[in-house]
Amino acid sequence: MTVLVTGGAGYIGAHVVRLLVRSGRDVVVVDDLSTGTAERVGGAELVRLDVAAPGSAEALARVLRRRGVTDVVHFAARKRVDESVADPLRYYQQNVDGLGAVLRACTAEGARSVVFSSSAAVYGDVAGGLVREDAPTAPVNPYGRTKLVGEWMLRDVAATGALRGTALRYFNVAGAGWPDLGDPAVANLVTRVLDAVGRGERPRVFGTDFATADGSGVRDYVHVMDLARAHVAALDAMAGDAEPYRCLNVGTGTGTSVLQVVAGLSAAMGVPIATEVVGRRAGDPAEVVADPAAIERVLGWRAEETLASTLASAWDAWRHARP
Ligand SMILES: NC(=O)c1ccc[n+]([C@@H]2O[C@H](COP(=O)([O-])OP(=O)(O)OC[C@H]3O[C@@H](n4cnc5c(N)ncnc54)[C@H](O)[C@@H]3O)[C@@H](O)[C@H]2O)c1
């Protein structure tokens, strides 16, 4: 079994690469290093390639053939909501064309399974309560729409019998499994708070007038190491059964507010953190929390880490990158 990990030099992908390598599996990484770095892939082979460029399906097929790839985990994509609103065509080109090329290469070379990085962004405005996979999908930005299109593409290809597919809908990913694999992007709450504190600024809280216990937005924070384990479980499940396609939430089932995250980071860092409360951001729902029952039932996966361990590992990795 050889696993191709696209985007394996990035934040989440590098965790999966390290986990697979340490469990004795053969791994090859394809990454254009646009946001990832070569050091993150460790001893695995790195092929530098833009999966969405003209001719990429053929280039990917050559990698699959040369390395005897049986399974693929596809992370390579753009993930910034603000950029996707400003330049939607780039997001469709990168995220949709990129997956198309990966699937063309897989079907041409007979790869048997694909795990696709989807997102809770496919749900859009959530009314509250735990979100199940059969909740309506109505993404509110181009990024979320590229992920939903990606799920449809994978499901349709899997329905032909050519391969098996699993789309994992990640909720809010944070932390680090190893201090050298922290999240380098200052794009989500945890890294935004760490960044602001490091600059001596007060992190901004977007709205404290939501209908939640403390008024700030509630999300489901999943440790990146737990998330990485879910990918390995998905690969193992596809090798062992005949279900063509699955779509599964990856979350803890527990909601945590923005103010609770700030308090948790304050405890991990051992410093008080004063915040600046500003207005809500357009399109921010009050609460988005996964119902993880399906992934628990189907893959036997459940989150093992706690909010405290997630935030402490994020802080360790942040310091590691800025000695
Ligand atoms: N981080 C999150 O909270 C989150 C949540 C939901 C879904 N996701 C999805 O998970 C995946 C990985 O996210 P991440 O946080 O590790 O992001 P990341 O930016 O750290 O990793 C993406 C990796 O893919 C590479 N890449 C990007 N476009 C490429 C292309 N066209 N060809 C080849 N390589 C390319 C980058 O260089 C990078 O190494 C993405 O698909 C993202 O949309 C992330």
Side-chain angles (χ1 to χ4, degrees):
M1 172 182 183
T2 298
V3 184
L4 166 65
V5 182
T6 74
Y11 168 48
I12 305 168
H15 281 86
V16 171
V17 168
R18 196 171 289 181
L19 211 54
L20 289 170
V21 168
R22 292 200 176 182
S23 67
R25 298 186 220 211
D26 190 34
V27 177
V28 55
V29 173
V30 164
D31 199 298
D32 67 357
L33 301 183
S34 52
T35 58
T37 51
E39 306 82 68
R40 286 180 168 252
V41 308
E45 183 193 1
L46 170 65
V47 178
R48 195 166 175 180
L49 172 70
D50 173 355
V51 296
S56 59
E58 293 70 27
L60 283 162
R62 284 193 292 276
V63 174
L64 265 68
R65 205 175 315 136
R66 176 172 61 78
R67 291 296 305 266
V69 169
T70 46
D71 307 277
V72 175
V73 187
H74 178 57
F75 292 102
R78 310 278 145 208
K79 63 167 181 177
R80 295 197 62 126
V81 169
D82 53 346
E83 278 180 2
S84 81
V85 172
D87 194 353
L89 288 177
R90 175 163 177 258
Y91 267 65
Y92 281 97
Q93 190 269 337
Q94 283 283 295
N95 295 3
V96 176
D97 291 1
L99 175 63
V102 168
L103 292 175
R104 276 200 299 283
C106 286
T107 52
E109 297 302 322
R112 61 184 183 184
S113 73
V114 175
V115 182
F116 170 60
S117 299
S118 188
S119 167
V122 299
Y123 294 116
D125 285 332
V126 170
L130 299 185
V131 188
R132 258 179 28 179
E133 289 81 352
D134 57 1
T137 45
V140 294
N141 52 61
Y143 167 72
R145 285 188 271 274
T146 66
K147 291 296 177 182
L148 189 54
V149 172
E151 289 189 2
W152 292 339
M153 288 168 70
L154 180 57
R155 187 188 62 193
D156 287 342
V157 174
T160 68
L163 47 74
R164 293 173 193 161
T166 302
L168 295 179
R169 292 177 174 169
Y170 314 160
F171 281 63
N172 295 63
V173 189
W178 293 273
D180 59 321
L181 296 188
D183 185 355
V186 180
N188 63 39
L189 175 64
V190 173
T191 50
R192 277 202 305 102
V193 172
L194 292 170
D195 181 58
V197 172
R199 293 165 187 276
E201 292 170 7
R202 288 187 298 161
R204 284 186 297 167
V205 175
F206 298 100
T208 50
D209 56 351
F210 289 103
T212 59
D214 65 19
S216 65
V218 167
R219 298 290 182 270
D220 186 335
Y221 293 88
V222 59
H223 193 298
V224 67
M225 201 61 196
D226 279 331
L227 175 62
R229 288 192 200 104
H231 291 76
V232 179
L235 287 172
D236 289 346
M238 285 190 285
D241 72 10
E243 188 70 27
Y245 175 77
R246 290 192 179 103
C247 157
L248 297 167
N249 287 339
V250 193
T252 66
T254 301
T256 303
S257 75
V258 171
L259 296 178
Q260 286 174 318
V261 169
V262 173
L265 282 171
S266 168
M269 299 170 82
V271 295
I273 300 177
T275 55
E276 180 191 356
V277 177
V278 297
R280 294 184 190 188
R281 289 181 298 199
D284 256 357
E287 187 175 333
V288 187
V289 180
D291 182 337
I295 190 167
E296 207 174 312
R297 191 178 59 248
V298 173
L299 299 186
W301 177 94
R302 71 160 67 176
E304 291 169 13
E305 301 283 347
T306 62
L307 180 69
S309 68
T310 304
L311 298 179
S313 71
W315 169 229
D316 278 351
W318 186 266
R319 279 187 293 181
H320 181 90
R322 295 159 191 79

